[in-house]
Amino acid sequence: MGDDRTLVKDIMTTPLERISPDAEIVEAAAVMRDKDISALLVTTAPPSIITSTDILDAVAQERDTADLLVSDLMTESVETVPPELPLTETAAMMTNFGINHLPVVDDDYIGMVSSSDITGEMH
């Protein structure tokens, strides 16, 4: 059972995997599969994020993923968290914003924290 002292840095996924907004969706999906992760940081300014759910939604909408780029599905200007943020506050942010992934920033992007990381830690 996690406690109030557990911080983002204690459970975040590193290294942070990045992808270009110009990359094809199939490439993003392959990286997620190969690395066993469900989100990638997109190298835009400000940064964006692409998740497996974004790709799944596109497939469910019968969009032709062969013609889609990361920039077509990514979420722009994502919220970020510092590595020292307590998990309780991080979980509250995810709930408030309705999101499941947050890039972790400490001068640079250093990791990713997901709602499943937090759930696994807090139970």
Side-chain angles (χ1 to χ4, degrees):
M1 178 81 178
D3 61 36
D4 293 341
R5 295 181 302 274
T6 305
L7 305 177
V8 165
K9 68 179 181 181
D10 299 326
I11 65 160
M12 69 184 182
T13 300
T14 58
L16 182 60
E17 296 295 331
R18 302 162 193 254
I19 196 159
S20 164
D22 301 325
E24 295 178 353
I25 286 300
V26 290
E27 180 186 344
V31 171
M32 288 184 213
R33 183 197 61 214
D34 293 347
K35 302 287 185 179
D36 194 27
I37 55 176
S38 56
L40 301 170
L41 184 78
V42 185
T43 54
T44 54
S48 303
I49 194 171
I50 179 99
T51 69
S52 55
T53 303
D54 296 330
I55 297 170
L56 192 63
D57 288 347
V59 171
Q61 293 163 7
E62 298 182 7
R63 294 176 70 181
D64 185 355
T65 52
D67 292 337
L68 292 176
L69 300 178
V70 168
S71 58
D72 295 324
L73 301 182
M74 68 188 188
T75 301
E76 298 182 79
S77 304
V78 293
E79 298 293 326
T80 61
V81 291
E84 304 296 329
L85 192 68
L87 289 194
T88 50
E89 291 181 41
T90 307
M93 276 183 71
M94 288 181 175
T95 301
N96 291 341
F97 291 113
I99 55 179
N100 292 318
H101 295 85
L102 287 165
V104 183
V105 180
D106 184 14
D107 293 331
D108 192 13
Y109 292 86
I110 59 171
M112 183 82 70
V113 64
S114 72
S115 56
S116 56
D117 293 335
I118 292 174
T119 303
E121 182 65 27
M122 297 181 102
H123 288 288

